Amino acid sequence: MSPVNPHLAPVAVPDPALLPHVQQLCDLTDPYAFGPAQDELFAAAMAETNAWHTERSPFFRSLYEATPPAEPYRTPLVHANFFKRHEVLSIPRKDVELHLTSSGTTGQKSQMFFDHWTIRSAQRMVARIFERNGWITPDQEVNYLLYSYEPAPSLNLGTAFTDNYLCDFAPARSVAYALRNTGGEHEFDPFGCIAALRRFEQEDAPVRILGFPAFLFFTLERMRAMGLPPLRLPEGSLVVLGGGWKGHADRRIGKEELYSRVTEQLGIPGERIRDTFGSVEHCIPYIECDHHRLHAPVWSRVTIRSTRTLEPLPYGERGYLHLVSPYITSVPAQSVVMGDLASLQPGDACGCELQTPWFTVHGRAGVSRNRSCAVAAAELMKGMA
């Protein structure tokens, strides 16, 4: 196997003459470069991507023309839920290379479309961050336990696509899935997960556990209920979580408690357990540092918006999470307001070596512990209509 991961290979923007700064920004190899030069490049790239979508999307053009120039990057605010009801493209459908949906448990799912540049540049960002953390190991086989959906012919969920993509960074000795395909549906298989973990403990290959944190927690709970002793997975094992607690908000536990349980029951140290944030509407990867903070990579900017006025809020205050990146050319989703409540902090408030700002997600707007995130978000949008 080649020691160079193919997802780090160069990829070209659709039109180099129109998007030179987008190309330059997305070609940056340090995922957390920070400073005036990067800010200037980011602003130039945003101007290019706004012009790109204004020319190709009547929907975006109308929003852009109504956006005050004083708005940062003069980028309209588009709520992520917009993509649940509308398909808006800035490319011909023949140029769509990939179609993915969000993984909400109820209601309409977001429909997102990607051209070659958009999906490849997003994948390369993930690869850059994995490379920086030393998690690309082409010469080291690993055993995978994926807390996501076993592949099925009609499956196009973004979470499943991402988790399977992450298996490219280390060759697979074996792969086990927590959500088994039962023929048209997927069902959680806790006993299969436990059997896989017990088998992996006896082998000399590191284990990589990827996917939904809820189902990992349910596995640990089942192990405890069965009276099973703690496992000690091989050195170098890694946990990378993502996708949230969809449909299981009532059983959610704190991140610190979950990490402690993973260390106690599987023997994986805390610095090898990382949460992530991402969405099919905004594919920029946000991966925790070793202090467990979600720092913004160089390819994006994060703002917190007031839930009443949508005005930007200062560090430390809670509001809607607003994510901006010029990477996307297929859909005018370069500025997305999420349904998540979050707060932002400056980079130096973390204590790790990264300098970029970081954010904390406090949950979905309007969600209580006994209500589904997806249901609450849908109700919130109805109230705003």
Side-chain angles (χ1 to χ4, degrees):
M1 178 176 293
S2 169
V4 177
N5 189 283
H7 295 293
L8 293 171
V11 58
V13 293
D15 191 325
L18 296 178
L19 302 167
H21 293 98
V22 174
Q23 180 79 68
Q24 186 179 348
L25 178 72
C26 294
D27 281 346
L28 293 178
T29 59
D30 180 355
Y32 300 104
F34 181 78
Q38 287 76 26
D39 288 339
E40 183 178 345
L41 177 58
F42 188 90
M46 283 303 302
E48 290 173 357
T49 202
N50 285 340
W52 173 271
H53 292 295
T54 298
E55 178 67 25
R56 290 160 179 78
S57 169
F59 158 75
F60 181 78
R61 184 185 310 120
S62 64
L63 287 182
Y64 184 75
E65 291 174 349
T67 301
E71 180 68 29
Y73 312 115
R74 196 181 173 182
T75 302
L77 308 180
V78 180
H79 197 284
N81 280 8
F82 172 84
F83 299 105
K84 296 183 184 298
R85 298 183 181 276
H86 304 277
E87 295 182 3
V88 183
L89 282 77
S90 297
I91 57 172
R93 284 193 177 267
K94 67 178 180 62
D95 292 338
V96 173
E97 183 168 299
L98 183 67
H99 170 216
L100 296 176
T101 70
S102 57
S103 57
T105 52
T106 63
Q108 184 70 26
K109 300 178 185 294
S110 290
Q111 307 289 324
M112 293 298 290
F113 303 87
F114 303 90
D115 56 7
H116 181 75
W117 157 260
T118 300
I119 193 61
R120 279 286 294 109
S121 61
Q123 289 178 321
R124 190 169 57 161
M125 294 172 192
V126 177
R128 292 289 187 206
I129 296 175
F130 267 61
E131 180 186 46
R132 190 184 192 282
N133 283 292
W135 299 340
I136 296 181
T137 58
D139 298 322
Q140 172 67 67
E141 285 189 338
V142 305
N143 287 312
Y144 287 97
L145 175 54
L146 302 187
Y147 281 95
S148 60
Y149 302 90
E150 185 176 17
S154 61
L155 186 67
N156 60 351
L157 291 172
T159 51
F161 177 84
T162 298
D163 290 334
N164 282 286
Y165 165 71
L166 295 182
C167 294
D168 287 352
F169 298 136
R173 176 176 293 186
S174 66
V175 180
Y177 287 90
L179 300 178
R180 302 301 304 276
N181 177 21
T182 59
E185 295 183 351
H186 283 81
E187 295 184 5
F188 176 46
D189 180 14
F191 297 108
C193 294
I194 294 171
L197 289 169
R198 298 181 74 178
R199 183 172 71 253
F200 294 163
E201 182 189 32
Q202 302 305 314
E203 300 187 18
D204 59 358
V207 179
R208 293 198 175 185
I209 300 173
L210 313 173
F212 293 117
F215 295 105
L216 172 57
F217 171 63
F218 299 157
T219 301
L220 299 177
E221 285 284 89
R222 186 63 60 93
M223 289 173 60
R224 180 173 285 182
M226 293 170 63
L228 296 179
L231 304 178
R232 288 295 175 264
L233 297 181
E235 185 177 355
S237 294
L238 176 69
V239 177
V240 179
L241 302 172
W245 291 64
K246 302 216 172 28
H248 301 282
D250 58 324
R251 298 183 62 184
R252 181 171 187 152
I253 64 171
K255 184 169 63 176
E256 293 79 10
E257 182 181 353
L258 176 60
Y259 292 1
S260 177
R261 290 284 297 273
V262 171
T263 299
E264 173 193 344
Q265 293 184 256
L266 301 182
I268 300 176
E271 65 270 16
R272 301 285 293 180
I273 308 169
R274 306 291 180 93
D275 197 7
T276 67
F277 181 89
S279 73
V280 72
E281 302 91 356
H282 178 88
C283 291
I284 302 296
Y286 300 89
I287 300 177
E288 286 185 340
C289 68
D290 55 9
H291 288 202
H292 301 297
R293 312 291 195 187
L294 291 166
H295 289 261
V298 67
W299 313 289
S300 78
R301 296 295 183 271
V302 178
T303 303
I304 305 300
R305 298 274 176 175
S306 166
T307 56
R308 292 191 307 108
T309 67
L310 293 180
E311 290 297 314
L313 295 176
Y315 287 132
E317 294 196 21
R318 296 189 182 191
Y320 291 126
L321 182 63
H322 176 208
L323 304 173
V324 175
S325 176
Y327 81 107
I328 186 166
T329 53
S330 54
V331 174
Q334 68 270 42
S335 170
V336 180
V337 178
M338 309 302 296
D340 302 274
L341 294 178
S343 57
L344 188 67
Q345 301 289 348
D348 58 11
C350 176
C352 75
E353 62 180 352
L354 306 183
Q355 300 182 59
T356 62
W358 52 272
F359 62 92
T360 301
V361 177
H362 302 290
R364 297 288 259 177
V367 176
S368 63
R369 288 182 61 87
N370 62 350
R371 297 165 69 226
S372 157
C373 293
V375 170
E379 292 175 356
L380 177 66
M381 290 304 296
K382 289 179 181 178
M384 294 173 62

